Amino acid sequence: MKKYLSASLMCADLMNLKNSVDELKKAGIDYLHLDIMDGSFVPNITLGFDLVNAIKEISNIPLDVHMMVNKPSRFINEMNLGENDILCVHYESDIHIHRTLEQIKNKGIKSGLAINPQTPPECMQYLTDYIDMALVMTVSPGFAGQKLFAGAERKTKDTRSLLDEWGCSCIPVEVDGNISVENGRKLSRCGADIFVLGTSSLFVKNKTFAQAASDFRNALKEG
Ligand code: DX5
Ligand code: ZN
């Protein structure tokens, strides 16, 4: 499967966001990753729906919206997402997550199912008809700048194998949290397809987005 880069906008210079988005486009970034937090499902509050919609207005890069909120079904209609965008919700965020995934699909948006470090990937088994992407959190969600959790490689590998075993080879696995060049390379070997790039690789001092993205892609190619 092709490898995709998703830029985590919570790590961008918010006072200079339009320029950053333009520069990310030039750098060939595949998705813009937008973290929506509610201060309850995770202990932080970041980007919101107005920003998602404003970015949609100024950019044609597909959006990769990561909802870290309790009962995300309450907010699905707040965002003007299209068929190329991904709306990702957490397995742990609603006991009826199947219904939420179905709502996303019914709106013609791609759906993602995210799982926290302690949640086993087996939870996806009976939901594969409703998901277009599996998001394996490689840190506990909520903050940028954290360290990869110890089980990240094993879990990425297990998620990929289970999806293949269930006949879902076309469902890509995304990894999010501390995706440095080195961790990206390791997780790519474990079967990760989409890489959320934040402070560990893309939003770094002394490198343009184009240089950082190219360094990351080259590392994946080297394997
Ligand atoms: C949380 C976020 C963070 C962050 C990733 O969902 O997506 O994981 O932006 O960037 P790092 O971990 O590299 O700072
Ligand atoms: Zn995220």
Side-chain angles (χ1 to χ4, degrees), residues 7-76:
S8 179
L9 290 195
M10 73 177 268
C11 303
D13 173 2
L14 297 181
M15 290 297 113
N16 197 19
L17 202 50
K18 166 113 180 36
N19 288 339
S20 297
V21 169
D22 291 343
E23 215 190 302
L24 289 165
K25 172 86 186 171
K26 286 187 204 136
I29 290 293
D30 303 292
Y31 288 99
L32 299 177
H33 186 88
L34 288 136
D35 287 307
I36 313 284
M37 304 186 189
D38 66 352
S40 174
F41 181 72
V42 289
N44 195 6
I45 293 182
T46 47
L47 314 175
F49 310 124
D50 288 347
L51 186 73
V52 171
N53 292 334
I55 290 187
K56 195 77 203 149
E57 291 284 317
I58 62 141
S59 174
N60 59 7
I61 305 178
L63 304 189
D64 167 27
V65 179
H66 180 191
M67 300 279 276
M68 283 158 279
V69 305
N70 283 319
K71 300 204 182 302
S73 60
R74 295 176 291 160
F75 304 114
I76 288 168

Side-chain angles (χ1 to χ4, degrees), residues 43 69 91 115-116 123 148:
V69 305
Y91 175 79
I115 49 174
N116 285 334
C123 70
L148 201 77

